[in-house]
Amino acid sequence: MADKTSSNAYWAANVRLITINLVIWFVVSFGFGILLRPILSGIGVGGTDLGFWFAQQGSILVFLIQIFVYAMMMNKLDLEHGVEE
Amino acid sequence: MDQYTLNLLVVGATFALYIGIAIWARAGSTSEFYAAGRGVHPVMNGMATGADWMSAASFISMAGLIAAVGYDNSTYLMGWTGGYVLLAMLLAPYLRKFGKYTVPEFIGDRFYSPTARMVAVICLIVASVTYVIGQMTGVGVAFSRFLEVKSSTGLYIGATIVFMYAVLGGMKGITYTQVAQYCVLILAYSIPAIFISLQLTGTFLPQIGLFSEHTASGQPLLVKLDQIVTDLGFASYTGHHQSTLNMFLFTMTLMMGTAGLPHVIVRFFTVPKVADARYSAGWALVFIAILYTTAPAVGAMARLNLLNTLSDNGAQPDGIDYAGRPDWMKNWEVTGLLKFEDKNGDGKIQFYNDKSEAFAATATEKGWAGSELTVNNDIMVLANPEIANLPGWVVALVAAGGLAAALSTAAGLLLAISSAISHDLIKGQLNPGISEKGELLAARISMGVAIAVATYLGLNPPGFAAQTVALAFGIAAASLFPALMMGIFSKRINNKGAVWGMLSGLIFTLVYIFVYKGWLFIKIDPNLADPNFFQTLWALLPVAEKDTAANWIFGISPLSIGSVGALVNFAVAYLVSNATEEPPVEIQDLVDSIRVPKGAGAATAH
């Protein structure tokens, strides 16, 4: 295993990345899809509004992108800290 | 060739395929039975996870629930996909690094306590059995339609097939079979959706069609739909009508449950590397998203087609003649899931919202005496191609797809249940010296028992397939998810904290669910004339008068309570751990080691 300080820094960087991702995750689903829908109601999408689109399509697409971006960034982080397999 | 024969042929052919693969890959050793070797490629694993994950709830039931309610049921879409973000970032890579076979094994080791492991076994079994009840409901609906029998008969036939199928093969059989099942179910879901999207909007992709123009009326599809449903006294399709708090909590419950359900987590134990576990979650979501972005289009278009059929596209505002009803209605009447009652005796089918007070005057004026058609939400997806007059082979394919979805998930769940009992309970606790053969036998017996229980409870399920499944997610969210997450992200949570946390989350959630849904999902009529001992005992337990929004505490549905249960779990675990001693140094080192990918060997059993 890598030395203690390096693996602490690795973990802190990981937690930071996760936190940013969870904020995005929350905003697109609970935010745009549910709580903020009234605010977005002015923006029309095909017969309804942007909040409806996020609730039924958009949030899912964002989730997908998030997971792949996270996986790529973590692979890079693994290498930087020398903790890859 | 008639539809019945065609159904039998298509469903029969897909079954022959699955069983063929299961026999070819028959599990020999226990390690194969549980974890299929470790050589599964992330894309293949993602596809199999997709089949494992998308059950009768996703395939048969979900679009029907969206069709019935509209926007407010978007919760299912966000909840059942957003959980993968939690899974990919909070759990999967670390559990793969830990490298054992089962979820209770991780909880037992991390919290250095056989008690924690046993509590995890209980949580796992309660959540998984509830989940299987939902699958049984779905299997019953699918079989009853395509064999043209009552839904209870369909359920018995389905249970027999699930039993033979799951008990025969282990994980290895299941992994390859599930790839085949994914292909069948995604074709079966997309093909009719594309057909219908082309019919209604001229757009190939249903995901785009949903937001396109309805060709026949020249209006956007959703505007047209809103207009038709509100004209019949229903709440608008795109509007927000239910409690926002409940919608929020329900979505959260489904997300946490996704990350906490053992049959999905174990799939990430079988990838070769930690990095693959991260990508596997992404690939799984790719294959899941294909269905989940199609489902809202299926729901909206099915609702539109159904209402247009019943009024002959508006030409008969008082409803079509019952005598001249289309064949699909006759077919579904056989199953008992679609019923017509001519309340005003005019021989026409009136279908509207007879619970709307605002609409009551209009209905009286028209001489309508109540909505005359009862349509079970769970039939919408299966009936959809028939309503849209699609060719017979598409109808047969949808039946095969629904069964593939239900079978694959039921098999994955039964495997999780049986490994918890044979591996964690019997080998880990009661009889460590058990032979491999004995362990396999115990695994198969526990599968059989789980199927029998789920079938019995599936006869009077606590809700539509997707709702029953949502209850299972609530249980997993309140019990296993917090324990797993804290086990990785906190070094301070100790054995006592974890045990008390899981127990309080589980009990809190179960009590809330049982008060509304009946204890152990069994509802007893309190005014029974001659109750037996069991019924008398049951009548003593506290139950809510009605399972309706007005009766729920703070308007929180029993389906949504899991996220509140998770909060209870987190809080209790934190408080108890801080009041008691720190975990030993070697456990803190264990946590450090699962946080970094380096040094992950192959998964091992012991």
Side-chain angles (χ1 to χ4, degrees), chain A residues 16-67:
Chain A
R16 198 158 49 239
L17 206 54
I18 293 173
T19 312
I20 296 168
N21 267 299
L22 289 186
V23 170
I24 301 172
W25 163 83
F26 187 88
V27 168
V28 294
S29 51
F30 297 97
F32 295 163
I34 304 176
L35 302 171
L36 302 176
R37 188 177 174 208
I39 299 172
L40 300 176
S41 62
I43 309 169
V45 176
T48 177
D49 54 76
L50 191 64
F52 185 94
W53 183 80
F54 263 104
Q56 302 211 332
Q57 300 281 325
S59 55
I60 302 174
L61 301 176
V62 176
F63 297 154
L64 259 181
I65 298 167
Q66 279 192 280
I67 296 179

Side-chain angles (χ1 to χ4, degrees), chain B residues 48 125 127 154 156 240 340 355 372-374 386 392 398 428 446 483 563 597:
Chain B
I125 291 173
Y156 294 128
H240 177 34
F340 171 72
K355 294 188 181 66
E372 299 175 338
L373 195 69
T374 322
E386 299 173 88
V398 172
S446 39
S563 48

Side-chain angles (χ1 to χ4, degrees), chain B residues 38-121:
Chain B
R38 251 92 32 194
V40 186
H41 188 270
V43 176
M44 288 285 263
N45 195 47
M47 224 183 255
T49 310
D52 213 336
W53 168 252
M54 290 188 291
S55 64
S58 302
F59 189 99
I60 298 177
S61 190
M62 185 175 68
L65 290 178
I66 296 171
V69 176
Y71 164 77
D72 285 335
N73 272 349
S74 310
T75 45
Y76 288 98
L77 299 167
M78 291 185 282
W80 278 338
T81 52
Y84 275 83
V85 176
L86 300 182
L87 196 55
M89 296 179 195
L90 302 180
L91 303 181
Y94 319 108
L95 294 177
R96 169 61 193 88
K97 170 67 196 295
F98 178 69
K100 294 282 179 77
Y101 281 135
T102 69
V103 169
E105 223 170 356
F106 171 76
I107 290 182
D109 282 9
R110 161 62 184 84
F111 298 109
Y112 49 100
S113 147
T115 317
R117 186 170 175 180
M118 286 310 106
V119 172
V121 167

Side-chain angles (χ1 to χ4, degrees), chain B residues 197 201 203-214 221 297 301:
Chain B
S197 178
T201 67
T203 314
F204 183 79
L205 282 179
Q207 289 88 338
I208 311 280
L210 177 63
F211 300 96
S212 305
E213 188 176 278
H214 179 229
L221 183 102
M301 292 174 187

Side-chain angles (χ1 to χ4, degrees), chain B residues 240-460:
Chain B
H240 177 34
H241 309 286
Q242 293 169 7
S243 141
T244 307
L245 173 68
N246 190 46
M247 215 179 147
F248 183 96
L249 290 177
F250 186 48
T251 308
M252 190 62 96
T253 299
L254 295 182
M255 287 182 176
M256 288 177 170
T258 301
L261 271 167
H263 74 294
V264 176
I265 299 176
V266 291
R267 295 227 72 106
F268 299 100
F269 296 176
T270 64
V271 294
K273 295 196 301 181
V274 173
D276 293 335
R278 299 183 190 127
Y279 277 116
S280 270
W283 283 112
L285 189 57
V286 167
F287 296 114
I288 291 165
I290 298 175
L291 187 142
Y292 270 67
T293 51
T294 310
V298 171
M301 292 174 187
R303 180 92 178 265
L304 189 66
N305 270 338
L306 174 71
L307 295 176
N308 275 338
T309 306
L310 293 174
S311 72
D312 193 13
N313 291 312
Q316 300 194 50
D318 279 331
I320 51 169
D321 281 333
Y322 178 67
R325 68 197 185 281
D327 282 341
W328 67 266
M329 290 181 72
K330 295 177 193 160
N331 295 338
W332 281 100
E333 278 171 313
V334 178
T335 64
L337 298 167
L338 182 124
K339 288 191 199 86
F340 171 72
E341 186 195 346
D342 196 0
K343 291 178 181 162
N344 63 353
D346 65 354
K348 292 175 187 296
I349 303 170
Q350 281 106 44
F351 181 60
Y352 68 101
N353 184 8
D354 53 9
K355 294 188 181 66
S356 159
E357 285 170 24
F359 193 72
T362 323
T364 319
E365 198 180 300
K366 288 170 181 268
W368 294 358
S371 189
E372 299 175 338
L373 195 69
T374 322
V375 187
N376 183 306
N377 288 332
D378 281 351
I379 75 171
M380 284 308 285
V381 169
L382 294 173
N384 200 21
E386 299 173 88
I387 301 174
N389 285 318
L390 297 185
W393 64 270
V394 179
V395 177
L397 186 63
V398 172
L403 292 172
L407 275 181
S408 58
T409 308
L413 286 163
L414 290 165
L415 186 85
I417 295 171
S418 67
S419 56
I421 291 179
S422 65
H423 190 74
D424 292 306
L425 185 69
I426 297 180
K427 195 180 174 82
Q429 203 63 33
L430 301 177
N431 180 11
I434 192 169
S435 66
E436 266 209 358
K437 226 175 168 178
E439 201 184 337
L440 274 178
L441 181 68
R444 287 177 171 146
I445 291 174
S446 39
M447 278 187 179
V449 174
I451 294 173
V453 171
T455 307
Y456 173 72
L457 294 170
L459 286 171
N460 288 300

Side-chain angles (χ1 to χ4, degrees), chain B residues 521-544:
Chain B
F521 304 124
I522 300 169
K523 282 198 165 177
I524 300 290
D525 179 6
N527 306 317
L528 219 59
D530 184 24
N532 61 26
F533 170 73
F534 168 77
Q535 287 160 332
T536 319
L537 198 72
W538 235 242
L540 294 176
L541 294 164
V543 285

